[in-house]
Amino acid sequence: MTSITRLALGRPAVVFLATLLLIVIGVFAVFRLKTELFPDIDLPVVTVATTYPGASPDAVLQDVTIPVENAVASVSDLKELHSISTENLSVVTAEFDYGTNMERVEEEIAASVNNLVLPAGANQPTVDRFDWSDFPVIFYGLLGDRDVSELETIARRDVLPVVEQVDGVARVAIEGSAAQQVLVTLNPQALAEYGLTTQQVVTALQENNVSRPSGIIFDNVGRVLPVRTTSRYTSLEDIASLAVGSSEAASPLLLKDIGQVAMATDPFASISRTDGQRSLAISVLKEADANTVEVANNVQDKVSQISLPAGVELRTHFDQSDYIEESINALLREGALGFLFAVIIIYLFLTGLRTTLVTAISIPLSIIIALIVLAWQGITLNIITMAGLTVAIGRVVDDSIVVLENIYRH
């Protein structure tokens, strides 16, 4: 016999107290476990996306993609770099080895690309890395016998304030709304009178709404911090008061002297449909350290209390907590069935109450120990860990029967 077996047989009281202690710790561990749909995997991939409106794929490649690739290539620990250049868009993907400090890599890439001087019209590159917490926990659809602008007003007035106040909610996004844009309407007669062209006005608008790198500085811990010079429009009056030229009659010549500036609906905004009907898509994203099931259930409770106008409906299209709770229920069901059948078979064939109790205790105790380890290591209950526990239950049942049968025989 091994030392563990001798200890268990020689000190049954100690074993009994240790078992009770494990059960108590297991109960606390269960309440500490976070439940998620997917495991927390830090993928070693960083993407740099840059929009260049109106540019062809070749122009995007030469003017944006290649400079971004050169900037990213200087980052340490880079494994592979590939890119896609399409009309209006450049996407550069950098891959690293697993175990790389991705926060440090993301900061290095952001510092590198922020110092690039891109052509006029190209937007600032967006550096991002994949995170499961960026996947919405709930998708809603707001629809009714109203136009989209009215639905958006209802969503922002009645739905968003309620959902955003729920603990664990990071942000709430709306898709399919009538997005607003600034519309500048030029007067052809005024342009001809002052000798201006449309391109001159466009150039003036672009050159006075800029964000360009001005160099770098080092902080007290040696990190590189990019410095940018920015000049942004903050109101319609800023745009209308922009000097676009000069003349003897009006010096300087302002944009409002040759046209009008107003807010208008963007005709290229995203479109959301539910059952063939125009609607608004509302997605709820949780904080990275929040419990998916808890956040989703709290959001659903708050949404059920919202009083919407007649004819307007808020439908749930997707809820992560449903899949998680279904997986947990399946795990409990399979575990209970395995436990029940193992106890019945052992009792029928070995006809001993003590041997039956050994199996009845070992199966749930094994699961409790596994949950303690998960909580200790900060691992969540997700589709991967729950699938593993389901398989493990079958192995525990099988091992219990085999061991007890051999004990009974010898």
Side-chain angles (χ1 to χ4, degrees):
M1 292 187 296
T2 64
S3 58
I4 297 178
T5 305
R6 291 192 184 95
L7 176 64
L9 294 176
R11 299 177 180 272
V14 175
V15 175
F16 178 74
L17 291 176
T19 302
L20 287 181
L21 181 61
L22 284 174
I23 293 174
V24 172
I25 296 175
V27 171
F28 282 103
V30 168
F31 287 103
R32 286 188 55 194
L33 276 174
K34 289 171 54 180
T35 50
E36 304 286 348
L37 184 59
F38 303 108
D40 185 14
I41 302 176
D42 191 10
L43 296 178
V45 176
V46 176
T47 60
V48 182
T50 310
T51 56
Y52 190 6
S56 65
D58 288 337
V60 170
L61 174 63
Q62 297 297 326
D63 298 338
V64 177
T65 302
I66 292 178
V68 170
E69 284 181 337
N70 293 334
V72 175
S74 63
V75 176
S76 58
D77 301 325
L78 179 65
K79 178 182 178 181
E80 186 176 346
L81 184 66
H82 51 88
S83 63
I84 298 177
S85 300
T86 62
E87 188 172 356
N88 306 326
L89 179 64
S90 164
V91 179
V92 177
T93 304
E95 295 185 13
F96 301 83
D97 290 322
Y98 281 95
T100 304
N101 187 338
M102 295 308 298
E103 291 186 3
R104 174 187 60 81
V105 168
E106 186 178 13
E107 290 178 359
E108 288 185 15
I109 292 178
S112 299
V113 300
N114 284 339
N115 289 321
L116 291 175
V117 179
L118 298 178
N123 294 322
Q124 182 66 21
T126 301
V127 180
D128 199 8
R129 58 192 177 100
F130 183 82
D131 191 345
W132 285 113
S133 62
D134 294 334
F135 190 78
V137 295
I138 302 179
F139 273 115
Y140 290 111
L142 185 67
L143 64 156
D145 52 354
R146 313 288 179 94
D147 58 32
V148 175
S149 59
E150 289 185 77
L151 290 176
E152 182 179 3
T153 300
I154 294 172
R156 297 190 182 278
R157 182 191 65 204
D158 300 333
V159 180
L160 264 65
V162 174
V163 176
E164 289 174 342
Q165 292 178 358
V166 176
D167 290 338
V169 172
R171 63 186 179 92
V172 184
I174 296 180
E175 297 292 340
S177 59
Q180 298 293 303
Q181 64 178 3
V182 177
L183 179 64
V184 179
T185 306
L186 300 177
N187 186 336
Q189 295 179 350
L191 287 175
E193 179 182 349
Y194 293 111
L196 291 176
T197 64
T198 302
Q199 186 57 45
Q200 287 177 294
V201 176
V202 171
T203 302
L205 287 168
Q206 291 176 342
E207 292 181 348
N208 287 274
N209 187 49
V210 296
S211 177
R212 294 177 179 172
S214 303
I216 59 173
I217 60 174
F218 296 90
D219 63 7
N220 55 359
V221 295
R223 288 181 301 182
V224 178
L225 303 177
V227 179
R228 302 190 66 85
T229 300
T230 61
S231 174
R232 296 293 192 187
Y233 302 124
T234 59
S235 65
L236 294 180
E237 181 60 28
D238 287 349
I239 302 175
S241 301
L242 175 66
V244 295
S246 62
S247 68
E248 297 179 358
S251 183
L253 181 64
L254 305 182
L255 182 58
K256 60 185 176 183
D257 297 327
I258 59 173
Q260 297 179 340
V261 180
M263 295 298 297
T265 301
D266 183 2
F268 301 104
S270 59
I271 297 176
S272 173
R273 294 172 65 85
T274 301
D275 294 337
Q277 182 180 354
R278 281 294 298 269
S279 63
L280 288 182
I282 302 175
S283 56
V284 181
L285 287 82
K286 72 175 186 68
E287 296 174 351
D289 58 347
N291 189 309
T292 298
V293 174
E294 183 178 344
V295 171
N297 289 338
N298 290 340
V299 169
Q300 294 286 34
D301 291 341
K302 291 292 184 180
V303 166
S304 64
Q305 300 173 14
I306 297 176
S307 179
L308 296 174
V312 178
E313 179 185 1
L314 186 64
R315 294 185 187 176
T316 302
H317 294 320
F318 171 78
D319 188 342
Q320 275 196 39
S321 64
D322 291 341
Y323 297 93
I324 297 173
E325 291 176 338
E326 182 180 345
S327 299
I328 293 176
N329 292 335
L331 173 64
L332 294 175
R333 183 174 59 252
E334 297 298 331
L337 289 175
F339 170 80
L340 179 63
F341 290 144
V343 169
I344 292 175
I345 290 174
I346 291 173
Y347 184 76
L348 290 178
F349 285 89
L350 301 183
T351 63
L353 184 59
R354 292 182 62 185
T355 54
T356 304
L357 287 176
V358 170
T359 303
I361 294 174
S362 64
I363 295 175
L365 187 62
S366 301
I367 298 174
I368 288 174
I369 294 174
L371 296 177
I372 291 174
V373 174
L374 291 178
W376 171 46
Q377 293 295 321
I379 302 174
T380 63
L381 269 181
N382 52 70
I383 56 175
I384 303 299
T385 54
M386 285 187 283
L389 286 173
T390 303
V391 174
I393 288 174
R395 293 299 305 271
V396 170
V397 170
D398 180 67
D399 292 344
S400 298
I401 295 175
V402 172
V403 171
L404 282 175
E405 193 273 336
N406 278 278
I407 293 174
Y408 184 81
R409 177 184 299 176
H410 300 291

